[in-house]
Amino acid sequence: MAMGTKRKTPPGILLLRRVRGRNWSPKTFRYAILFITFIAYACYHASRKPSSIVKSVLHPEPSTKPPRHQEQHINMYPWPLGDVFVKEEDQRNSGKEGWEPFNGKGGTSRLGEIDVAFLACYSVGMYVAGHLGDSLDLRLFLTWGMIGSGFFVGLFGMGYFWDIHAFWFFLVMQMAAGLFQATGWPSVVAVVGNWFGKRKRGLIMGIWNAHTSVGNICGSLIAAGVLQYGWGWSFIAPGLVMSLGGVVVYLFLAAYPEDVGFPDINSNSGKFIKRHRGIDEEEEEEQADVEGQGESSESGSGQGYENKRSVGLLQACMIPGVIPFAMCLFFSKLVAYTFLYWLPFYLSQTTIGGEYMSVKTAGNLSTLFDVGGIVGGILAGYISDKFKARATTAATFMYAAIPAMLVYHSYGGVSQTVNVVLMMVAGLFVNGPYALITTAVSADLGTHKSLQGDSRALATVTAIIDGTGSAGAALGPLLTGFLSTLGWEAVFYMLVVGALCAGLLLTRLVIAEIREKLGYVDEVPASEPLLNDR
């Protein structure tokens, strides 16, 4: 779609408008945008989890001792309705002999190669997707990205039913899925940035970013829940959910306020309409203005969007703060995605309270890491808003993640309770800065004042930051596939180095924020506008 092409109001919104006889208020639209983008990106992450759940099925470790079965029945209710720790599970189709080509010598390395293939394509595709997201209709771009991603995730699972054992098949499916997955993050951050100003953006996007952990949790539960019917279903089910999510986006997502008759928020100081009356009267006048403008939005979007032009990658990289945060995210996602892809496998290969966990238990237990991540994302967003210190907050969380990970590795096997508590604490500190940088920081930079209100840099800036981070996300799981053969201690040392590097890369911005708080405004470096532009 060419840049100047008129875009239509989403069909689902048109239908609701006709049923209600009037348009929604700006506040209602904002809630709807948060909800739809939340669901959309939760679907993206849910479709990434199956590979971590089935690792122990594709490559059962020969040295692993069987779990101690104290019960002789199968719990029919999956977690969270049932128990997290499942003593016995249906082994009819779980593939205890593994799945060629992953069950032989070097199987963990091949599993690591599958992960890095996905993440490498995701990282490269991110740079292209970000520019396309600023040039095309975000609603359609996100729709086709979700449907395409769900299709290839499902095809990976079909390898089970088609009895495919060729490594190249699984490699190609993951690469194609990675390319389509790259459409997600730049698009949803751009949409949210288009609807929300910078005031309390950290808290709002911190809460909203819970979609990452919710998606991981749902993906783990879905994949583990259908695993007993064959590992192929662990991919097909999330892939189907992903495609259905794309349909919802097509029907109801208004990517820009102009799509439904509102002015561009980023050129109006973060507010749609200002009135000098009571709250109720103001809302009524907002509604009247919306209805008057809604007519034109049915046939096409407002001119504000059409007259914008997307920025290039080089221009976006020159925005103060983009490069430091992008490099920080490289190491932050290296740590986060190592947990994302390898935590269930790690749990199934180590003893907890003197017992080895079943594959389903490992999948259930790994979701608690993301529960801690939800709290971490919200806490990091709130703190960074309150103190107006994005870089300092992110760096502090990364430094705190170092002892949290070491303590978890050393004492996580003491008991089930200790493992759960330490895992959630580690998830809080690991996911906190990752969530903050990929949401509020990206949106801040994408609407930086040096762009003169050109919000169409949002997807491009987000893609640069998250694309660079995704390169680290690819490296972490790949290194884990090799280092795990030397022992899990080597893996955790790698994670510690990654967290340390992430914190150190923000040192210059942290110093700038501290100097600003101490009153040295005139001596703040060039990156200062990012930290004070609110």
Side-chain angles (χ1 to χ4, degrees), residues 326-338:
M327 293 307 301
C328 171
L329 191 63
F330 176 92
F331 290 100
S332 179
K333 287 191 75 169
L334 182 151
V335 176
Y337 269 65
T338 298

Side-chain angles (χ1 to χ4, degrees), residues 165-475:
H165 297 276
F167 178 69
W168 68 264
F169 172 83
F170 299 106
L171 190 68
V172 170
M173 293 304 104
Q174 283 290 74
M175 292 173 69
L179 288 174
F180 276 97
Q181 287 257 332
T183 61
W185 192 239
S187 299
V188 296
V189 172
V191 171
V192 173
N194 291 334
W195 281 90
F196 289 86
K198 294 187 178 182
R199 184 172 178 268
K200 294 185 178 180
R201 180 180 272 171
L203 177 60
I204 291 172
M205 299 191 86
I207 297 173
W208 171 76
N209 191 68
H211 54 51
T212 298
S213 297
V214 169
N216 290 340
I217 292 170
C218 291
S220 297
L221 298 180
I222 293 173
V226 299
L227 184 61
Q228 64 188 37
Y229 304 109
W231 65 259
W233 283 110
S234 295
F235 288 88
I236 294 173
L240 179 60
V241 171
M242 177 76 160
S243 297
L244 292 176
V247 176
V248 173
V249 166
Y250 174 78
L251 292 175
F252 297 103
L253 182 67
Y256 275 79
E258 298 97 312
D259 290 353
V260 286
F262 295 108
D264 176 18
I265 187 174
N266 288 304
S267 61
N268 286 280
S269 302
K271 299 177 182 178
F272 287 108
I273 300 174
K274 290 289 289 183
R275 300 292 184 199
H276 300 287
R277 301 187 182 184
I279 296 177
D280 293 336
E281 291 176 323
E282 179 180 337
E283 186 170 342
E284 288 178 5
E285 293 211 26
E286 280 186 347
Q287 187 66 45
D289 283 359
V290 170
E291 289 172 4
Q293 296 174 16
E295 298 284 336
S296 63
S297 68
E298 293 188 17
S299 59
S301 60
Q303 291 300 313
Y305 174 90
E306 308 301 340
N307 291 331
K308 294 179 183 294
R309 55 184 180 79
S310 58
V311 302
L313 288 175
L314 183 59
Q315 182 183 351
C317 287
M318 297 304 293
I319 298 173
V322 168
I323 297 301
F325 275 113
M327 293 307 301
C328 171
L329 191 63
F330 176 92
F331 290 100
S332 179
K333 287 191 75 169
L334 182 151
V335 176
Y337 269 65
T338 298
F339 278 100
L340 174 70
Y341 279 95
W342 285 93
L343 183 57
F345 185 79
Y346 168 74
L347 290 169
S348 67
Q349 305 303 318
T350 56
T351 58
I352 300 176
E355 297 184 18
Y356 283 90
M357 299 294 102
S358 64
V359 175
K360 180 173 285 189
T361 295
N364 291 342
L365 193 58
S366 68
T367 63
L368 299 177
F369 180 86
D370 292 293
V371 173
I374 293 175
V375 178
I378 296 173
L379 188 61
Y382 173 77
I383 293 174
S384 70
D385 274 345
K386 185 172 181 63
F387 296 101
K388 294 183 173 61
R390 305 278 200 229
T392 304
T393 303
T396 301
F397 270 66
M398 288 310 309
Y399 291 140
I402 295 174
M405 291 186 296
L406 291 176
V407 171
Y408 173 68
H409 174 58
S410 300
Y411 299 100
V414 171
S415 69
Q416 296 175 353
T417 301
V418 172
N419 189 284
V420 168
V421 172
L422 294 180
M423 183 189 300
M424 293 178 68
V425 171
L428 185 152
F429 289 116
V430 168
N431 283 357
Y434 163 41
L436 179 65
I437 295 172
T438 55
T439 54
V441 170
S442 295
D444 284 353
L445 292 167
T447 54
H448 192 264
K449 67 182 183 182
S450 65
L451 295 168
Q452 298 178 342
D454 187 355
S455 65
R456 298 198 59 196
L458 269 169
T460 302
V461 170
T462 301
I464 291 172
I465 294 177
D466 202 47
T468 304
S470 297
L475 181 61

Side-chain angles (χ1 to χ4, degrees), residues 148-172:
S149 180
F151 175 75
F152 284 105
V153 169
L155 278 184
F156 189 101
M158 289 303 297
Y160 171 82
F161 298 99
W162 293 337
D163 198 29
I164 295 177
H165 297 276
F167 178 69
W168 68 264
F169 172 83
F170 299 106
L171 190 68
V172 170

